[in-house]
């Protein structure tokens, strides 16, 4: 399932709503990323929790696990500069703690990790299509998911009337 939106930031906001992030929920984000990753968490009332990055400039799974609290709802791997995050380890941490995974794939459209397309590995994948990105539409974004409930919540956040018709 896919949802076209106005920007990469809108994709992150709709994706976060889709996975159920709301007021007071913590989302672990990398300390090195574009401001949209953390600001999207704040826009839905969540609390962005910065975690360290490793030599790939992506989330360090060991530090992610250190940042988990009873309020943590999700982990947001950001695939920076075309480099994929260590998704196997992040998935393991997420499953062990019952957390959702939302991939920020704005800088890695078309990339893959162990034969799987980036953005399709977590509970939701978010893409930016603005003029500086790998795939561009001038401006725009996309949310993808294999979970119909996540997609429906994202659609309702994006377009209440469209969400009610589907």
């Amino acid at each position: 399932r896919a949802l076209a939106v106005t920007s990469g930031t809108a994709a992150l906001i709709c994706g976060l709503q889709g996975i159920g992030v709301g007021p007071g929920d913590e989302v672990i984000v990398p300390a090195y990323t574009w401001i949209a990753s953390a600001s999207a968490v704040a826009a839905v009332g969540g609390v962005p929790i910065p975690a360290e990055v490793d030599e790939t400039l992506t989330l360090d799974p060991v530090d992610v696990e250190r940042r988990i609290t009873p309020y943590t709802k999700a982990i947001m791997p950001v695939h920076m500069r075309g480099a994929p995050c260590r998704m196997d380890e992040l998935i393991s941490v997420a499953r062990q703690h019952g957390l959702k995974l939302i991939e920020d794939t704005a800088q890695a459209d078309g990339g893959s990790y162990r034969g799987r397309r980036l953005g399709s590995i977590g509970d939701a994948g978010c893409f930016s299509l603005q003029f500086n990105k790998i795939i561009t539409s001038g401006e725009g974004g996309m949310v993808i998911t294999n979970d119909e409930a996540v997609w429906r919540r994202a659609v309702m956040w994006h377009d209440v009337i469209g969400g009610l018709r589907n």
Side-chain angles (χ1 to χ4, degrees):
R1 297 195 172 5
L3 172 65
V5 295
T6 58
S7 67
T9 303
L12 290 169
I13 291 168
C14 290
L16 286 161
Q17 283 290 308
I19 64 170
V21 173
D25 292 332
E26 294 178 352
V27 178
I28 299 173
V29 300
Y32 175 70
T33 184
W34 183 249
I35 190 65
S37 305
S39 67
V41 175
V44 299
V47 180
I49 304 297
E52 294 298 329
V53 296
D54 61 20
E55 63 281 348
T56 68
L57 301 179
T58 66
L59 268 177
D60 177 359
V62 173
D63 196 53
V64 165
E65 192 154 25
R66 278 185 271 217
R67 308 282 176 185
I68 295 171
T69 75
Y71 303 103
T72 306
K73 179 85 172 216
I75 301 168
M76 183 186 290
V78 180
H79 307 293
M80 290 297 294
R81 303 173 65 180
C85 295
R86 292 166 34 199
M87 294 304 292
D88 288 341
E89 291 105 316
L90 291 170
I91 289 168
S92 177
V93 169
R95 285 185 181 153
Q96 181 181 354
H97 295 278
L99 304 175
K100 298 290 187 180
L101 224 80
I102 178 167
E103 295 177 77
D104 181 338
T105 316
Q107 294 190 27
D109 290 352
S112 62
Y113 177 80
R114 299 189 183 203
R116 293 187 66 192
R117 290 289 183 187
L118 298 177
S120 71
I121 302 167
D123 297 287
C126 301
F127 299 83
S128 175
L129 306 173
Q130 61 98 268
F131 71 97
N132 283 328
K133 295 302 190 280
I134 297 166
I135 299 172
T136 182
S137 65
E139 189 58 70
M142 189 70 63
V143 180
I144 64 170
T145 183
N146 287 325
D147 185 325
E148 185 173 351
V150 170
W151 179 77
R152 285 188 178 279
R153 284 191 298 269
V155 168
M156 285 191 289
W157 183 261
H158 174 260
D159 179 7
V160 174
I161 300 302
L164 295 176
R165 282 185 300 203
N166 295 322

